[in-house]
């Protein structure tokens, strides 16, 4: 049956947990965890922790003398995060706080490690959030930043021009700071950090349903057509064609680990 546009938004909290458990999600998250060099007793901050995907692993590394602070502005995400961390809260202190990343609720200079994973692309001002992180961390602290670069989104289709138009629409109209991934090192240095490592990974989607959910193919194509950016006939044919042949889509995810001098 032909695929039609306008797939509804999945439940975001459970969707993010599922995405994180898949190969591409697991690989970069584990790499970041290792690069952050967490030690027992550390205070670690997860900015935009979402459904708490990474909080149990952070709690395990900082142990009973450590402290994990997860912040997010979305109460529904935080409800899932509380459920997910209920068991680990007995092992180390896990605090979950509803707050905006532009106003981090921590005593300045007290954070040993921090991570911000696919959040800067959404915030009002990535530079302000990094300034907040700089104030929150102590000298010698390590901060891990992970963001996609949506200019690198490729979707295989017979109609290459429409794939290119879809990527352009995503970067220009859908994601607030779509190219923040490539700018991470520059932004970090401007905020007063020193860049320790810069790496990139390429999540690959070979399953149409998974790619559609994660990349918003049907949802965003429908909006691009409504907005007059892509011709309806071409856009609908492009989307319908994706489900019929082997599927390939990918994008680049940039990880920068920096230190607070
Ligand atoms: C793509 S999810 C990533 C969640 C989590 N970091 C992970 O890797 O699973 C983005 C999260 O950023 C949060 N977020 C976006 N803007 C925010 C802001 N200004 N302050 C706090 N959280 C924000 C959203 O509520 C959402 O939970």
């Amino acid at each position: 049956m032909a695929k039609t546009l306008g797939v509804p938004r999945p439940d975001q909290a459970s969707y993010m947990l599922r995405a994180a458990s898949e190969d591409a999600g697991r690989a970069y998250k584990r790499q970041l965890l290792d690069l952050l060099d967490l030690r027992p007793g550390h205070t670690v901050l997860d900015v935009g922790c979402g459904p708490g995907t990474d909080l149990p692993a952070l709690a395990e590394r900082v142990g009973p003398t450590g402290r994990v602070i997860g912040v997010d502005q979305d109460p529904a995400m935080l409800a899932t995060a509380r459920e997910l961390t209920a068991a680990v809260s007995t092992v180390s202190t896990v605090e979950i706080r509803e707050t905006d990343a532009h106003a981090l609720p921590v005593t300045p200079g007290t954070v040993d490690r921090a991570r911000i994973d696919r959040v800067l692309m959404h915030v009002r001002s990535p530079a302000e959030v990094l300034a907040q992180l700089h104030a929150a961390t102590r000298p010698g602290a390590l901060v891990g930043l992970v963001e996609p670069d949506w200019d690198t989104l490729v979707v295989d289709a017979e109609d290459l021009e429409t794939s290119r138009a879809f990527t352009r629409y995503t970067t220009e109209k859908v994601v607030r700071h779509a190219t923040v991934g490539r700018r991470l090192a520059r932004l970090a240095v401007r905020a007063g950090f020193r860049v320790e490592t810069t790496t990139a990974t390429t999540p690959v989607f070979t399953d149409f349903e998974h790619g559609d959910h994660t990349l918003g193919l049907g949802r965003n194509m429908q909006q691009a057509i409504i907005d007059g950016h892509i011709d309806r006939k071409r856009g609908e044919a492009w989307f319908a064609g994706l489900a019929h042949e082997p599927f390939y889509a990918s994008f680049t995810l940039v990880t920068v680990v920096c230190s607070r001098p």
Side-chain angles (χ1 to χ4, degrees), residues 16-218:
M16 265 185 228
L17 288 175
R18 206 192 84 198
S21 70
E22 282 155 1
D23 282 352
R26 267 203 306 266
Y28 85 83
K29 281 179 179 290
R30 172 145 302 270
Q31 184 200 34
L32 179 60
L33 200 59
D34 290 342
L35 287 169
L36 279 178
D37 188 29
L38 288 146
R39 304 286 172 89
H42 272 164
T43 293
V44 56
L45 176 64
D46 191 4
V47 181
C49 66
T53 323
D54 301 283
L55 300 179
L58 298 176
E60 196 182 304
R61 299 234 176 167
V62 301
T65 55
R67 190 174 164 216
V68 178
I69 308 167
V71 305
D72 202 284
Q73 66 178 10
D74 182 339
M77 290 285 179
L78 293 178
T80 308
R82 282 193 188 93
E83 278 171 32
L84 198 73
T85 55
V88 296
S89 294
T90 53
V91 187
S92 62
T93 310
V94 180
E95 298 162 33
I96 302 209
R97 301 187 189 165
E98 185 182 328
T99 188
D100 189 301
H102 298 85
L104 295 176
V106 291
T107 309
T110 58
V111 170
D112 300 293
R113 299 289 186 263
R115 68 189 300 288
I116 179 157
D117 180 352
R118 295 167 302 134
V119 178
L120 291 178
M121 64 173 161
H122 300 299
V123 303
R124 177 176 48 76
S125 167
E128 268 182 46
V129 172
L130 289 177
Q132 284 279 314
L133 271 173
H134 191 267
T137 45
R138 64 154 172 86
L142 290 177
V143 175
L145 314 168
V146 183
E147 296 295 329
D149 193 309
W150 290 112
D151 246 2
T152 64
L153 172 63
V154 298
V155 182
D156 176 48
E158 201 68 46
D159 183 355
L160 180 59
E161 280 314 312
T162 299
S163 285
R164 286 181 174 145
F166 179 81
T167 296
R168 202 170 178 82
Y169 181 77
T170 303
T171 57
E172 291 180 357
K173 302 289 176 194
V174 178
V175 185
R176 198 176 205 173
H177 302 290
T179 58
V180 71
R182 77 184 67 177
R183 293 192 286 131
L184 283 178
R186 201 150 48 90
L187 285 166
V189 168
R190 283 190 188 166
F193 291 105
R194 186 172 58 220
V195 172
E196 300 294 338
T197 59
T198 302
T199 51
T201 49
T202 307
V204 170
F205 301 84
T206 54
D207 175 68
F208 169 75
E209 304 288 343
H210 181 211
D212 184 23
H213 268 177
T214 306
L215 306 169
L217 302 175

